[in-house]
């Protein structure tokens, strides 16, 4: 692997302990001779650091060999949507609760030394392309979720596969996830666990009003078209990776496919996905 000579550092300072962890991280990177880039809005907080400051997130990623986040999975996903088009790999330091996507815990910072010598591997993760009635393309690393609005009503959701009508769900909503997202909301809704490096699309209804509704796993080349059929006064929303939300009208079609882009995650440890899953769900998720 390429030796890392520069890093785009993205800390989420709303997370407890993230600032101190970022200072420790910067100290290690400086000793390794790795250049650090941060956005201009952080310049005052890190004015005594060795970081160079550039205007935007895209600017610092473009100037760097990789992206290093300090926060939770949400911080990593936000950074990944910027990093994927620029073909930069990511590594997350977990300051959240579960941190399925993060590669390191705060007590494992010494492993950052491997970056300088190219002693790491890269996992390619499939992303979803989500288009709302011909509007701009949105990317999801975890999932896109169709759900009811503030009123406590079921919604009818029609799904077509490769232009052929497939099924209708009467449910609280519907989750379409990547393999990476299979261990997030989809899992909580009863969906299957899928190895994150696989290529497939997982569809899981949320509290379906049926005895026989189960998750469905599609080939990654599938094209799913989703329409929400409901009363005029029932609001249906589409949420992409928990960050982007739009309202879906009855006449709208949302097309979901695998994206041409991938999210590339740096791995410094040799733990299997299932070992990590057991540790996260047993130690944190099960409490």
């Amino acid at each position: 692997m390429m030796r890392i000579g520069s890093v785009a550092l993205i800390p989420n300072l709303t997370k407890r302990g993230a600032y101190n962890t970022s200072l420790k991280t910067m100290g290690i990177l400086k000793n390794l001779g790795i250049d650090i880039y941060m956005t201009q809005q952080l310049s005052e907080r890190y004015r005594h650091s060795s970081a160079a400051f550039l205007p935007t997130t895209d600017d610092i990623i473009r100037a760097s060999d990789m992206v290093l986040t300090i926060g939770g999975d949400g911080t990593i996903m936000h950074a990944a949507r910027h990093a994927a088009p620029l073909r930069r790999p990511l590594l997350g330091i977990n300051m959240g609760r579960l941190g399925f996507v993060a590669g390191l815990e705060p007590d494992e910072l010494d492993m950052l030394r491997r970056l300088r010598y190219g002693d790491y591997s890269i996992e390619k993760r499939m992303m979803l392309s989500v288009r709302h009635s011909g509007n701009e393309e949105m990317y999801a690393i975890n999932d896109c979720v169709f759900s009811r609005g503030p009123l406590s009503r079921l919604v009818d959701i029609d799904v077509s596969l490769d232009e052929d009508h497939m099924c209708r769900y009467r449910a609280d909503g519907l989750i379409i996830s990547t393999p990476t997202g299979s261990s997030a909301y989809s899992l909580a809704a009863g969906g299957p666990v899928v190895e994150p490096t696989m290529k497939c699309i997982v569809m899981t209804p949320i509290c379906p009003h049926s005895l026989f509704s189960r998750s469905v796993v599609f080939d990654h080349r599938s094209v799913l078209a989703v329409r929400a059929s409901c009363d005029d006064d029932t609001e249906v929303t589409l949420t992409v990776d928990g960050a982007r939300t739009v309202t879906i009208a009855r006449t709208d079609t949302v097309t979901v496919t695998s994206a041409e882009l991938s999210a590339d995650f740096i791995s410094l440890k040799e733990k299997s996905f299932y070992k990590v899953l057991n540790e996260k769900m047993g130690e944190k998720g099960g409490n």
Side-chain angles (χ1 to χ4, degrees):
M1 289 295 174
M2 176 184 69
R3 295 185 179 186
I4 300 298
S6 55
V7 165
L9 185 62
I10 302 177
N12 181 353
L13 298 182
T14 66
K15 295 291 186 180
R16 183 178 180 181
Y19 181 67
N20 288 336
T21 298
S22 69
L23 294 180
K24 293 177 183 177
T25 300
M26 295 171 80
I28 292 172
L29 296 177
K30 181 180 178 180
N31 289 337
L32 293 172
I34 296 176
D35 296 329
I36 303 168
Y37 292 93
M38 303 180 80
T39 56
Q40 191 66 46
Q41 65 181 10
L42 296 173
S43 59
E44 181 61 25
R45 192 73 187 269
Y46 292 92
R47 62 185 181 275
H48 298 304
S49 73
S50 59
F53 299 95
L54 298 175
T56 69
T57 298
D58 285 344
D59 289 332
I60 64 172
I61 293 175
R62 193 175 288 109
S64 304
D65 295 327
M66 63 163 286
V67 179
L68 182 61
T69 66
I70 300 175
D73 281 349
T75 307
I76 299 173
M77 289 188 290
H78 172 76
R81 285 190 289 273
H82 290 271
L86 297 172
R87 308 293 182 182
R88 298 296 192 272
L90 299 96
L91 175 65
I93 298 172
N94 181 35
M95 303 301 299
R97 296 185 63 189
L98 292 177
F100 275 110
V101 189
L104 290 179
E105 298 295 326
D107 60 355
E108 298 174 324
L109 296 183
D110 284 345
M111 297 185 74
L112 291 171
R113 301 180 187 279
R114 296 187 180 183
L115 297 173
R116 192 69 180 93
Y117 307 105
D119 186 15
Y120 60 90
S121 59
I122 289 182
E123 292 184 356
K124 288 189 172 292
R125 305 286 184 90
M126 193 191 96
M127 300 174 68
L128 294 177
S129 167
V130 184
R131 288 188 180 274
H132 171 215
S133 291
N135 293 334
E136 66 174 301
E137 186 176 23
M138 298 176 283
Y139 295 106
I141 299 170
N142 264 359
D143 52 40
C144 61
V145 179
F146 301 83
S147 60
R148 61 190 181 187
L151 298 177
S152 298
R153 296 182 180 178
L154 296 169
V155 293
D156 292 313
I157 300 176
D158 289 308
V159 181
S160 295
L161 170 63
D162 299 332
E163 299 185 352
D164 290 327
H165 184 266
M166 177 187 163
C167 63
R168 168 175 284 200
Y169 289 109
R170 171 159 284 192
D172 285 353
L174 183 70
I175 305 165
I176 300 179
S177 77
T178 65
T180 297
S182 72
S183 58
Y185 192 8
S186 177
L187 178 63
V193 174
V194 180
E195 287 193 26
T197 54
M198 291 180 65
K199 290 186 177 182
C200 62
I201 300 173
V202 181
M203 184 173 71
T204 303
I206 305 170
C207 298
H209 196 67
S210 169
L211 293 177
F212 305 105
S213 293
R214 296 290 184 267
S215 295
V216 182
V217 180
F218 300 96
D219 183 271
H220 72 284
R221 292 163 294 191
S222 300
V223 178
L224 299 177
V226 181
R227 296 180 61 139
S229 301
C230 53
D231 296 336
D232 291 339
D233 59 351
T234 300
E235 183 178 296
V236 178
T237 58
L238 164 66
T239 305
V240 179
D241 272 351
R244 180 85 178 268
T245 300
V246 296
T247 301
I248 305 299
R250 293 186 66 182
T251 57
D252 292 346
T253 298
V254 178
T255 304
V256 183
T257 63
S258 60
E260 293 183 3
L261 301 175
S262 66
D264 298 342
F265 288 93
I266 289 177
S267 176
L268 298 175
K269 298 184 288 188
E270 297 182 356
K271 287 184 179 180
S272 72
F273 165 69
Y274 294 104
K275 183 174 180 60
V276 173
L277 183 68
N278 284 329
E279 290 178 352
K280 298 288 186 179
M281 296 302 291
E283 295 177 7
K284 298 178 181 179
N287 291 338

